[in-house]
Amino acid sequence: MIFSNSEKYQNNPILKETFEFSIMIVEYSELLQEKKKFAISNQVIRSGTSIGANVKEAQNAESKADFIHKMKIALKEADETEYWLFLCKNLSSYPDSNYLIEKLNTIIKILNKIISSSKK
């Protein structure tokens, strides 16, 4: 995976994971659009790419509390994305989303760990 500021992303696992996930989400959303699943596609792309955007924003937080708050927002977006992906998984006419759910589970675990350790 090539990043515009690769060192920053490569040295920060959550930035790297969420950026890669955003790319996967954009590609999945395009697949949904090809199948004319526009409503779900719009939901998936909004919440799915928002995870990484909030993680990126947290890197410049004004305080520890601000950092935790932004990471919690990223986690909420991850939960919403999980919902949409589970919905896709259970709709027979939708493309497979299992690989996205697996990647998202990793991201959720990392976010939970960051939030809990940041509170200490």
Side-chain angles (χ1 to χ4, degrees), residues 41-53:
S41 172
N42 290 335
Q43 295 293 338
V44 166
I45 199 162
R46 283 190 186 123
S47 64
T49 57
S50 181
I51 302 164

Side-chain angles (χ1 to χ4, degrees), residues 56-70:
K56 180 71 171 120
E57 190 177 341
Q59 305 310 300
N60 296 307
E62 295 176 9
S63 65
K64 187 176 181 180
D66 187 36
F67 175 81
I68 293 168
H69 176 70
K70 286 177 176 34

Side-chain angles (χ1 to χ4, degrees), residues 33 36 104:
Q33 289 177 15
K36 301 193 184 321
L104 185 57

Side-chain angles (χ1 to χ4, degrees), residues 3 14-15 22 57 66-67 70 72 90 93 95-96 100-101 118:
F3 302 101
I14 192 62
L15 276 178
S22 290
E57 190 177 341
D66 187 36
F67 175 81
K70 286 177 176 34
K72 283 183 176 180
N90 287 281
S93 63
D96 177 51
L100 292 167
I101 293 168
S118 295

